[in-house]
Amino acid sequence: MIGLGTIVNTIAIVAGGLGGLVSRRFLKERYQETVTKAIGFAIMMMALGSTLSQMLVVRLSADEAGQLSAGLDTQGTMMMVVSLAGGALLGELLDLEHWFERFGAWLRDETGSQGDRQFIDAFVSASLTVCVGAMAIIGSIQDGISGSHDTLFAKAVLDMIIILMMTASLGKGCIFSAIPVAVFQGAVTLLAREAAPLFTEAALSNISLVGNVLIFCVGVNLVWPRTVRIANILPSIVIAAAFAAWA
């Protein structure tokens, strides 16, 4: 069934969020603050590890005697810089963060959560955490083209745990990250067959690298709130994909 991966992923996020709400009742405010920062550092380390695994490559060389030596080199640096800088400029012009926050404010008001001061930040942080990663894009493409749900099923388990922890510390705004996941992954799944030629191996690699940098920024914002307007850097993912065609 095409789209089953996104459906399961969405349900898992809601389930994790509900579990987080139950846990939140037993956490004092200072515990919630510490858990939030701990999650932030964990997300930063996971994103950093994924980023470095793509950027660092082992180069083998042989001397005149035929002895091999190995060294570390980097790749994708220029693509990353151009994508992030260009994406940030475009995102600031469009002010995507403002529209993201407006949608979060609408959800807060519609759900009667006006008294929840963290609702918008929780919604934005959680949504970016579960939407931006490579698994969301690659898994949705696999779902749309071959009907393979394995990647999105694995992502569903990870997202459930992440949203459970984030909801326990930030509040119920995290639960509504299920909405952008359903819309984004569902759209990619539906368009995957038509757009398949665009998703080359190089394009997916670029998307994954830049996406991991954005996830790192999500962790930064959890530790140091409102440091980076991450939604305004989202166009960098599109530029990263286009960069593969130009290179």
Side-chain angles (χ1 to χ4, degrees), residues 106-126:
W106 179 82
L107 285 174
R108 180 196 60 195
D109 296 340
E110 289 296 310
T111 57
S113 306
Q114 291 88 344
D116 187 348
R117 294 176 298 173
Q118 290 184 299
F119 188 98
I120 297 176
D121 286 341
F123 167 71
V124 173
S125 295

Side-chain angles (χ1 to χ4, degrees), residues 131-142 184 188 199 204 207 237:
C131 281
V132 170
M135 291 181 77
I137 299 173
I138 295 173
S140 298
I141 293 171
Q142 293 172 340
F184 174 68
V188 173
F199 295 116
L204 292 176
I207 290 172
I237 294 179

Side-chain angles (χ1 to χ4, degrees), residues 7-241:
I7 294 173
V8 171
N9 198 169
T10 302
I11 294 173
I13 288 173
V14 174
L18 293 176
L21 280 182
V22 175
S23 303
R24 183 177 174 83
R25 296 179 180 178
F26 302 100
L27 292 178
K28 296 180 181 179
E29 185 173 349
R30 67 186 183 91
Y31 295 164
Q32 294 171 15
E33 180 180 355
T34 301
V35 170
T36 299
K37 294 186 182 301
I39 294 172
F41 281 118
I43 290 174
M44 288 165 65
M45 290 301 101
M46 289 189 296
L48 183 61
S50 297
T51 302
L52 292 178
S53 69
Q54 288 184 265
M55 291 187 66
L56 297 178
V57 292
V58 177
R59 303 292 187 190
L60 296 176
S61 60
D63 58 21
E64 295 180 356
Q67 292 183 332
L68 290 176
S69 60
L72 284 178
D73 200 354
T74 58
Q75 63 181 6
T77 305
M78 183 58 65
M79 180 280 300
M80 180 181 65
V81 172
V82 171
S83 297
L84 290 173
L89 179 60
L90 181 57
E92 286 292 340
L93 289 172
L94 297 174
D95 200 4
L96 297 179
E97 187 91 2
H98 169 71
W99 294 105
F100 224 110
E101 290 181 350
R102 281 193 62 178
F103 182 58
W106 179 82
L107 285 174
R108 180 196 60 195
D109 296 340
E110 289 296 310
T111 57
S113 306
Q114 291 88 344
D116 187 348
R117 294 176 298 173
Q118 290 184 299
F119 188 98
I120 297 176
D121 286 341
F123 167 71
V124 173
S125 295
S127 296
L128 293 172
T129 301
V130 294
C131 281
V132 170
M135 291 181 77
I137 299 173
I138 295 173
S140 298
I141 293 171
Q142 293 172 340
D143 194 348
I145 294 177
S146 63
S148 174
H149 314 303
D150 293 347
T151 300
L152 289 185
F153 283 173
K155 179 178 179 292
V157 175
L158 294 174
D159 286 353
M160 182 171 64
I161 297 171
I162 291 171
I163 295 301
L164 188 154
M165 297 301 296
M166 292 185 75
T167 303
S169 59
L170 295 176
K172 66 181 178 181
C174 298
I175 301 176
F176 293 92
S177 62
I179 296 176
V181 164
V183 173
F184 174 68
Q185 291 183 184
V188 173
T189 298
L190 292 175
L191 295 173
R193 289 185 183 273
E194 288 72 20
L198 300 177
F199 295 116
T200 63
E201 184 176 346
L204 292 176
S205 178
N206 290 354
I207 290 172
S208 178
L209 176 55
V210 173
N212 284 323
V213 175
L214 295 184
I215 292 177
F216 181 87
C217 293
V218 172
V220 170
N221 277 357
L222 289 175
V223 179
W224 300 283
R226 294 186 171 274
T227 302
V228 185
R229 291 191 290 272
I230 304 169
N232 282 355
I233 316 178
L234 286 177
S236 61
I237 294 179
V238 178
I239 296 177

